[in-house]
Amino acid sequence: DMSFHLVFSGNPGTGKTTVARIIGKIYSALGILSKGHLVEVDRSGLVAGYVGQTAIKTKEVIDKALGGVLFIDEAYTLAPEKADKDFGQEAIDTILKAMEDHRDDFVVIVAGYASLMPRFIDANPGLKSRFNKYLFFEDYNGDQLFEIFKGRVERSDYRLDEKAEAAVKEHLDELYEDRDENFGNARDVRNLFEKIVANQADRVAVLENPTDDDIVTITTADLEGLMDLPLTESTEE
């Protein structure tokens, strides 16, 4: 008889949702959960604007998650610093009751910034006893960001030429070294990749007779305006 609820802390884009989904499948395989599916939600999916409505809205979400995992992103927003007349507490109380009523087939994973998650845990004495397992998700370093980027390139059937590969690698190294509170980890990589693909499509579209190689190759020309790096002399040519 133990608690399987979890607290995930870390910056955005570190894979918390993905890991929560995997954990749901593991719990199902172990017989802890009957289904193992994931229902992802944030404050807007739980809190309503009028007294009494938040409990109803939260219960509807809980009902969908029974047998699986309820994943609450940015859970600390349910316990704002100025909590007077805030309905987040009603959502927390409803979730706590469900964790007790359905403790044999319901798991809650809460996630958010490491510096802010204690505010959520301290919002109700019952939370500390139920959430006693903590996992911290570290930021991806430059090499890991580049591996994520290359994975996206390969899965989308593109390839990087040598100079573009070196430029992207340098950019992602700098992105990690200069990271601040807005650093998005894998989300930044995804956004960069999507912008590069858009640039590449625009470049290829004006070619009269593009070859198969032209269509799948990303060059430094496709990186223009997306990174503060001296690309190569070939860009000017």
Side-chain angles (χ1 to χ4, degrees):
D1 185 17
M2 59 188 296
S3 173
F4 295 101
H5 309 295
L6 297 163
V7 177
F8 288 179
S9 61
N11 289 328
T14 47
K16 295 186 292 294
T17 306
T18 299
V19 173
R21 187 172 290 111
I22 294 170
I23 285 177
K25 293 177 180 178
I26 292 172
Y27 281 178
S28 176
L30 293 173
I32 296 168
L33 294 172
S34 60
K35 299 176 182 177
H37 64 295
L38 183 84
V39 173
E40 183 181 0
V41 72
D42 58 14
R43 177 187 168 92
S44 65
L46 299 171
V47 178
Y50 300 96
V51 175
Q53 289 186 329
T54 292
I56 297 172
K57 190 173 184 180
T58 300
K59 189 177 182 305
E60 289 175 352
V61 173
I62 290 169
D63 288 343
K64 293 177 183 177
L66 291 180
V69 174
L70 175 62
F71 180 80
I72 307 174
D73 197 16
E74 298 181 339
Y76 52 83
T77 59
L78 295 174
E81 290 183 293
K82 297 180 180 179
D84 293 344
K85 299 180 180 179
D86 185 84
F87 298 128
Q89 189 64 50
E90 188 177 351
I92 292 173
D93 295 343
T94 304
I95 292 166
L96 269 173
K97 186 176 186 303
M99 291 166 73
E100 179 62 28
D101 293 346
H102 305 284
R103 59 184 178 275
D104 294 331
D105 200 19
F106 179 56
V107 166
V108 179
I109 299 177
V110 293
Y113 288 106
S115 60
L116 297 177
M117 286 307 291
R119 194 173 77 199
F120 170 78
I121 298 299
D122 293 338
N124 187 303
L127 292 173
K128 286 187 177 181
S129 62
R130 288 171 175 82
F131 290 104
N132 53 24
K133 295 181 180 66
Y134 294 74
L135 291 178
F136 177 70
F137 289 66
E138 295 184 5
D139 288 334
Y140 294 116
N141 62 33
D143 289 339
Q144 292 167 329
L145 293 172
F146 186 58
E147 287 299 315
I148 293 169
F149 183 86
K150 287 199 300 183
R152 284 191 169 272
V153 170
E154 293 167 3
R155 287 195 301 274
S156 300
D157 294 322
Y158 287 97
R159 74 173 187 85
L160 291 162
D161 72 15
E162 188 174 335
K163 291 176 181 178
E165 181 170 329
V168 171
K169 176 67 169 65
E170 183 178 350
H171 171 69
L172 294 175
D173 283 339
E174 289 190 4
L175 185 68
Y176 172 73
E177 293 298 332
D178 298 336
R179 68 192 186 282
D180 56 18
E181 66 275 6
N182 297 315
F183 180 55
N185 285 282
R187 293 182 189 176
D188 286 348
V189 174
R190 179 188 63 200
N191 292 338
L192 175 65
F193 174 72
E194 290 175 353
K195 291 174 182 177
I196 289 174
V197 167
N199 282 357
Q200 196 264 6
D202 290 342
R203 178 176 60 80
V204 172
V206 299
L207 299 178
E208 288 189 9
N209 296 297
T211 65
D212 289 345
D213 199 45
D214 290 329
I215 292 172
V216 301
T217 301
I218 293 170
T219 72
T220 52
D222 306 319
L223 313 182
E224 287 290 348
L226 300 180
M227 49 190 71
D228 186 19
L229 290 172
L231 296 174
T232 62
E233 65 277 6
S234 63
T235 303
E236 296 177 1
E237 296 170 1

